Amino acid sequence: MQEPVDTPTLSALSQSSISTQDKSSSVAQTSSVVPQPLRPSIVPPPSKPKGWNSGASANRMRRIIAEDPEWSLAIVPLLTELCIQQIVQNFQNNPILKQLLPEHKQKVLDLLSPNLPLAVTANLIHDESYWRRCCTQRWPVCHVANHGGSWKRMFFERHLENLLKHFIPNTTDPAVVLDLLPLCRDYVRRLRVHQFLPPVKLPTPPRGGDPSDSGSETEMEEPATDHYQLGELVAGLSHLEELDLVYGVKDCGMNFEWNLFLFTYGDCHSLAATIKACHTLKVFRLTRSKVDDDKSRILIHSLLDHPALEELDLSHNLIGDRGVRAAAKLLSHSRLRVLNLANNQVRAPGAQSLAHALAHNTNLISLNLRLNCIEDEGGQALAHALHTNRCLTTLHLGGNELSEPTATLLSQVLAINTTLTSINLSCNHIGLDGGKQLLEGMSDNSTLLEFDLRLSDVAQESEYLIGQALCANREAARQRTLNPSHLMSPVSAKDSENPAG
C-alpha cells in the first residue's frame, strides 16, 4: 500500500521548476546578440502541474504588452456598420437609399456630405435634417419660416436666386440656370431676386483716321443693356406663386453708373409676357426699378383677367396718374386683394381713378398710397368711395398732404363703415379741428383697431381719446373671438335659451 504524496513537497518542486524556467529564459535572452524586429513579446503560459496554486503565483504571471502603437483591444465593427460606411463613401457614384431599412437609412443620411451634387440628392433625398445641414453650412442666417417651413424648399429657392443674382448676360451660359429646372421645379414657390447684372460693357477699340470717315453716327449703336430674361425659367416652375424683383446692382462701389439701375423696355416686354403666362402667380412685386407710366401700363395690361393674382406691389417707382389709371382698371378685371403704390408720383387725378374703381370693388382689402401727393382732392374722393365700399380693411394715406377737409369726410366714414380695421394718416396736416372731427367719428365706430395719427398736428387730447376708443374696440374684438356666441342675434340667442317644448 503506497503512502500519499506530501503536498508541500509537490508545491516546492513546482516552484523550483518555475524558477529554473525563468532563469533559463533569462539566460537565453541575454545570450542573443542579433537584434530582432519589434513585435509583441508573447510568452506561452507555463504548464500547470498537479497541485498548481493559482492564487499564490498570480503575481508571477507575465502581462502581454503590445509594441505596435496601432494595436488595440477594440472589437471588430459590425458588418452593417461597415456596409453603411461603404454606402456613404460611394453614394455619389452608386446612391443606395430607398432599399435600406429605416434605421439604416437614417444613419446614412446623417453621414452624407452636404456637398454632394444636386443631380444625385435633389429627387432622392427628402429628409429635412439633411437639407437643414445643407442650408446652415451655406448661409449663416436661415429663416425657414419664410419658405413655408421647408428646408429643402429654402435651399432650392435661395440657390436659384443666387444663380440669377450673378448671371451676366452674354457672358454666363444660360444652361447654368436652365439645367437646374428638372431638379427644383417641384420645390420652388417663391423667387426673390434683388439684383440683375447688366451685360459687360467692352471697351471700344480705337479707330485710325478721322472718325467721320468711318460712317455716320447712327451706325455706332449702343450695346444692349437688357438683363436676364425670366420667361423660359418661370415657364418651367410649375408651382411658382410669388415673384419679387428689383432691377439694380448691389455693392457696385466706384463702378457706379445710372444704367446699372435701368429697367429697359426690353426687360419690361419680356417680364410682361412672363407674368401673363404664369397662371399660378399670386404675388408680384417690382420695386425700386424706375418703372414709369408707360412701363407700368405694359405690365398691368398683361395682368388683366389674371386667374390667380392677389397682390401687386409697384412701390418705390416713378408711376404717375396714367399708370394709376391702369391699376384702377385692373381692380375691375382681376381678383386683386392687395395693391401697394407707395412712394410714387400719384396725384389727385390718379387717386380719383382709384376711388371710382374702389366704390364698386368687392375684392381689395388693402390699399397703400403713402408717400405720394394726392392732397385733399384725392383724399376726399377716396373717402366718398369708402361710403359704399364694404371690403377694404387697411388704408394707408401717410405723407400725402392731407388736411382738415379730408379728415371731415373720413369722420363720416368712421361712423358708418364696419369693415375698416386700420387707417394711417401720419405725416399729414390734419390739424386741431380735423382731430376733433376724427374723434367724433370714432365715438360711433366699433370696428377700427389701428389709427396712426403721428406727426399730423392733432391735439394731444384728441389723440389720447382716440387711442382709448381703439383700446375699447380691440377689447371688444378679443371678446368676440373668445365668445363667438356673442355674434348671435338677440332673437336667436333667446330661442336657444328657451327651446320649444
Side-chain angles (χ1 to χ4, degrees), residues 69-84:
E70 298 180 358
W71 187 86
S72 69
L73 292 175
I75 62 174
V76 177
L78 297 175
L79 183 57
T80 56
E81 298 293 336
L82 296 176
C83 293
I84 288 175

Side-chain angles (χ1 to χ4, degrees), residues 20-329:
T20 305
Q21 291 179 3
D22 291 342
K23 289 179 181 180
S24 61
S25 62
S26 60
V27 171
Q29 291 178 1
T30 55
S31 61
S32 60
V33 179
V34 181
Q36 300 293 331
L38 296 176
R39 56 185 180 182
S41 58
I42 302 176
V43 179
S47 58
K48 298 182 181 180
K50 291 184 179 182
W52 173 266
N53 190 355
S54 58
S57 59
N59 297 329
R60 296 179 176 271
M61 293 182 63
R62 293 196 170 191
R63 299 174 59 188
I64 300 174
I65 301 176
E67 296 180 359
D68 185 358
E70 298 180 358
W71 187 86
S72 69
L73 292 175
I75 62 174
V76 177
L78 297 175
L79 183 57
T80 56
E81 298 293 336
L82 296 176
C83 293
I84 288 175
Q85 294 176 9
Q86 289 300 315
I87 291 174
V88 171
Q89 293 174 5
N90 299 288
F91 197 84
Q92 181 173 344
N93 300 322
N94 184 23
I96 300 175
L97 190 64
K98 294 182 179 179
Q99 303 90 330
L100 302 178
L101 295 176
E103 59 269 20
H104 299 158
K105 183 187 298 185
Q106 190 59 46
K107 290 183 179 180
V108 171
L109 291 172
D110 294 339
L111 295 175
L112 286 179
S113 170
N115 300 320
L116 288 172
L118 291 178
V120 177
T121 61
N123 297 319
L124 179 62
I125 299 178
H126 304 286
D127 182 68
E128 284 290 293
S129 61
Y130 173 79
W131 294 107
R132 179 174 182 174
R133 288 194 292 120
C134 294
C135 292
T136 54
Q137 177 184 353
R138 186 167 179 181
W139 300 290
V141 179
C142 297
H143 297 294
V144 69
N146 296 335
H147 302 267
S150 171
W151 289 98
K152 186 173 186 179
R153 174 186 162 186
M154 175 182 176
F155 179 86
F156 280 102
E157 288 180 351
R158 295 190 65 172
H159 178 63
L160 182 57
E161 292 166 4
N162 186 67
L163 293 179
L164 295 176
K165 288 178 183 178
H166 298 91
F167 187 94
I168 303 176
N170 304 328
T171 302
T172 307
D173 186 3
V176 173
V177 177
L178 298 180
D179 288 348
L180 190 63
L181 266 179
L183 307 178
C184 68
R185 68 169 75 246
D186 295 331
Y187 313 109
V188 175
R189 284 169 170 77
R190 186 185 81 162
L191 207 54
R192 183 173 177 264
V193 186
H194 286 183
Q195 171 175 281
F196 281 92
L197 297 177
V200 176
K201 189 176 181 180
L202 299 176
T204 304
R207 296 184 178 182
D210 189 0
S212 61
D213 297 338
S214 61
S216 61
E217 295 181 357
T218 57
E219 295 178 359
M220 301 176 61
E221 298 180 355
E222 290 292 330
T225 57
D226 295 344
H227 301 83
Y228 178 75
Q229 309 299 317
L230 294 169
E232 191 173 357
L233 173 63
V234 172
L237 299 175
S238 55
H239 300 287
L240 185 66
E241 298 178 354
E242 182 176 342
L243 191 60
D244 188 351
L245 308 176
V246 175
Y247 281 80
V249 178
K250 293 184 177 181
D251 303 324
C252 57
M254 298 300 294
N255 298 319
F256 172 83
E257 293 181 8
W258 280 114
N259 59 3
L260 297 179
F261 303 86
L262 182 61
F263 180 59
T264 66
Y265 276 97
D267 295 331
C268 184
H269 285 286
S270 174
L271 184 59
T274 299
I275 58 180
K276 183 177 182 179
C278 185
H279 299 299
T280 59
L281 189 65
K282 295 182 179 180
V283 179
F284 176 59
R285 299 189 182 97
L286 179 61
T287 61
R288 294 176 285 151
S289 300
K290 294 188 176 181
V291 180
D292 56 17
D293 282 340
D294 294 333
K295 295 171 184 174
S296 64
R297 290 174 68 87
I298 294 172
L299 291 171
I300 293 174
H301 180 73
S302 66
L303 293 173
L304 294 177
D305 299 317
H306 194 282
L309 188 69
E310 296 181 357
E311 179 178 347
L312 176 62
D313 186 353
L314 297 176
S315 59
H316 308 290
N317 283 300
L318 305 175
I319 302 174
D321 295 332
R322 292 178 59 244
V324 174
R325 281 199 293 270
K329 183 179 179 180

Side-chain angles (χ1 to χ4, degrees), residues 313-317 340-344 368-372:
D313 186 353
L314 297 176
S315 59
H316 308 290
N317 283 300
N340 188 350
L341 296 173
N343 193 20
N344 278 283
N368 190 340
L369 291 175
R370 69 183 180 92
L371 297 179
N372 284 284

Side-chain angles (χ1 to χ4, degrees), residues 351 367-372 374 378-380 382-383 386 395-402 406 410 423-428:
L367 177 62
N368 190 340
L369 291 175
R370 69 183 180 92
L371 297 179
N372 284 284
I374 65 173
Q380 289 175 323
L382 290 172
L386 292 175
L395 178 63
H396 199 322
L397 298 177
N400 271 281
E401 300 294 330
L402 304 177
T406 301
L410 282 178
I423 299 178
N424 192 316
L425 296 178
S426 60
C427 302
N428 284 294

Side-chain angles (χ1 to χ4, degrees), residues 435-453:
K436 293 179 181 178
Q437 296 285 343
L438 293 175
L439 177 59
E440 184 178 351
M442 281 298 301
S443 61
D444 298 325
N445 184 282
S446 60
T447 57
L448 195 67
L449 306 179
E450 298 177 1
F451 201 173
D452 194 341
L453 292 171

Side-chain angles (χ1 to χ4, degrees), residues 331-343:
L331 292 180
S332 304
H333 293 81
S334 68
R335 301 176 181 178
L336 202 65
R337 297 175 61 82
V338 178
L339 178 61
N340 188 350
L341 296 173
N343 193 20

